[in-house]
Structure formats: C-alpha cells, structure tokens
Amino acid sequence: QVQLVESGGGLVQAGGSLRLSCAASGRTFSSYAMGWFRQAPGKDREFVAAISWSGGTTYYADSVKGRFTISRDNAKATVYLQMNSLKPEDTAVHYCAARRHRVATIPTDFDSWGQGTQVTVSS
C-alpha cells in the first residue's frame, strides 16, 4: 500500500478557488490510479474525480464537472485537485485515495486513503 497525505484545504468564499495536493510515499506511485472523494457531515462518502496511472484518463462527478480538474505529477508522486467556482455545497472533508492499476470511481475499490483535508465554502 501507499501512504497518502493531503494538504491545501481551508475556508474560501463562494466563487473562490482552492488547490488540494496529495503526496504519496513509495517508489511505485506511477502504477497507482488515484481518486478524490469527499464526505460532508451526515452524508456518505462520494466520488469527486479520478485519474489513471498515466494521467491520460480522468473522470468527474457531474456536480464538479467543468469546475474541478484532477492532475498528477508522477515525478513528484503527487496528485492535485484544482477547484474553481466553489459552492457552499462543496463543503466537506476531501480525501485522496489510491488503487493499483485501473482507475475506478467507487470508494470500496480503493485500498489506500489519506487522512482528509477540510474544505469550507461560505456563502
């Protein structure tokens, strides 16, 4: 398994932007597909975005499509989530996750998780 550490969360006004980062340990980061998920209080963890090991394939939840961009830098073993035009409903703890090989969008398909970073969007 790979160890993951998220950063970049915070408090922002509606319409603002944040960039989340997720740094991975280990020398095999490039063999992992990566995903971002989020969980608001009282709600289930939900898919946000995912990216293949090469970065050539990406998926987005409909709720963030056109506003969020997932990317990765395999040389730095880091995956990013650029979040623009933030809305109050984006408020949640955001988690990055990793799984071997094929990209996925379901939380149970991922076997390594970070501790999460809080994103709060005020109206």
Side-chain angles (χ1 to χ4, degrees):
Q1 289 188 344
V2 63
Q3 292 185 326
L4 305 171
V5 179
E6 302 98 333
S7 61
L11 173 64
V12 64
Q13 288 188 331
S17 298
L18 283 174
R19 188 174 83 153
L20 305 184
S21 299
C22 174
S25 65
R27 293 174 288 180
T28 59
F29 176 75
S30 61
S31 67
Y32 285 85
M34 302 296 296
W36 285 98
F37 296 81
R38 65 188 183 189
Q39 188 166 18
K43 294 189 176 182
D44 292 334
R45 191 167 297 190
E46 66 173 3
F47 169 72
V48 175
I51 189 166
S52 62
W53 66 269
S54 67
T57 301
T58 57
Y59 295 99
Y60 296 94
D62 288 343
S63 59
V64 307
K65 206 170 291 183
R67 299 189 297 123
F68 291 11
T69 302
I70 188 171
S71 61
R72 65 189 297 160
D73 184 337
N74 286 343
K76 295 183 178 179
T78 301
V79 63
Y80 305 98
L81 185 68
Q82 178 66 44
M83 305 185 295
N84 298 329
S85 302
L86 282 161
K87 304 175 182 180
E89 51 263 44
D90 295 317
T91 295
V93 178
H94 284 64
Y95 299 89
C96 73
R99 74 183 302 262
R100 283 282 196 176
H101 307 308
R102 292 191 65 181
V103 65
T105 62
I106 301 172
T108 52
D109 283 343
F110 289 78
D111 48 29
S112 297
W113 291 84
Q115 82 289 348
T117 185
Q118 177 69 46
V119 171
T120 303
V121 184
S122 63
S123 57

